[in-house]
Amino acid sequence: MALVKEVYEIAEKIKNMEIRGAGKIARSAALALQIQAEKSKAKTADELWKELKEAAKLLHSTRPTAVSLPNALRYVMYRGKIAYQGGADLEQLKFIVINAAKEFIHNSEKAIERIAEFGAKRIEDGDIIMTHCHSKAAISVMKKAWEEGKEIKVIVTETRPKWQGKLTAKELAEAGIPVIYVVDSAARHYMKMTDKVVMGADSITANGAVINKIGTALIALTAKEHRIWVMIAAETYKFHPETMLGQLVEIEMRDPYEVIPKEELETWPKNIEVWNPAFDVTPPEYVDVIITEKGVIPPYAAIDILKEEFGWAFKYTEPWED
């Protein structure tokens, strides 16, 4: 049983953050399953299903916190599983999996456009917006507002230790938007000149808490203190189904060498530990609205999105596990 090389390549790129951002991770995972189905040498539906489960397991293991990844795999694999259990032959199973992957990728790209439209309505002419990390959904809201002729300015935090703020700053600037780039710890200092905070999410729990890049919670807390609106732009596949069953989201710990280069850390006293959490949790009371492709909701309505989108997910074990 062989996985095609593209699956290994995509998994490796997700793991080492060459592919980053929840949406891109999700679309890449769906694409990996699509390529596995397209290029598989399997002779029977049984063989193909085994390969797909193997590919899904490998992809699932790459990034524990980015819920978009398992949700993309679920989207494709549940449709495959239903077909497989219903007795689909090899060609039918291939067709259904390839189709489901393409559908997921298409819906995901369309979702960004819808979020941009809904979110831009909440931005006013002259607003100074603060953002953190690099979120395609959040950027789309700001770009759309700018395209609509609203004169905005964006304060971008650098987002240590991987500097995702650099990507955001360049992307906004290329669209013509004036950008102010600051260190993370300057967020409170500049909050008083900020009108709105717009950020993305890696994952949203059943009670509306937002899991996003480390530093997000601090910015949301500071905005709350200054009575400034916090808007989270997130596609519905960022909502975390397991949290309805009481599971807590695991926060990924990354390599300490991202914070302090290896050569330097090796010269430090041995009783210094470097901790590098990738994400933090922003409580729902620090979030004003979540902008999804289905509309703008308050955080406590997250449970409704989960029931609507993933209600079916509670009747099964993961489709790559049984």
Side-chain angles (χ1 to χ4, degrees), residues 48 60 89 158 180 182 184 216 273 300:
L48 177 61
H60 186 241
D89 65 22
E158 60 181 2
I180 301 162
V182 300
D184 293 338
T216 301
E273 290 179 50
Y300 57 78

Side-chain angles (χ1 to χ4, degrees), residues 4 23 81 116 122 177 278 298 300:
V4 299
K81 181 179 178 175
R122 301 291 176 116
I177 300 169
Y300 57 78

Side-chain angles (χ1 to χ4, degrees), residues 158-170:
E158 60 181 2
T159 320
R160 287 266 298 137
K162 296 283 279 186
W163 317 97
Q164 288 97 332
K166 290 180 179 178
L167 299 172
T168 301
K170 288 174 189 164

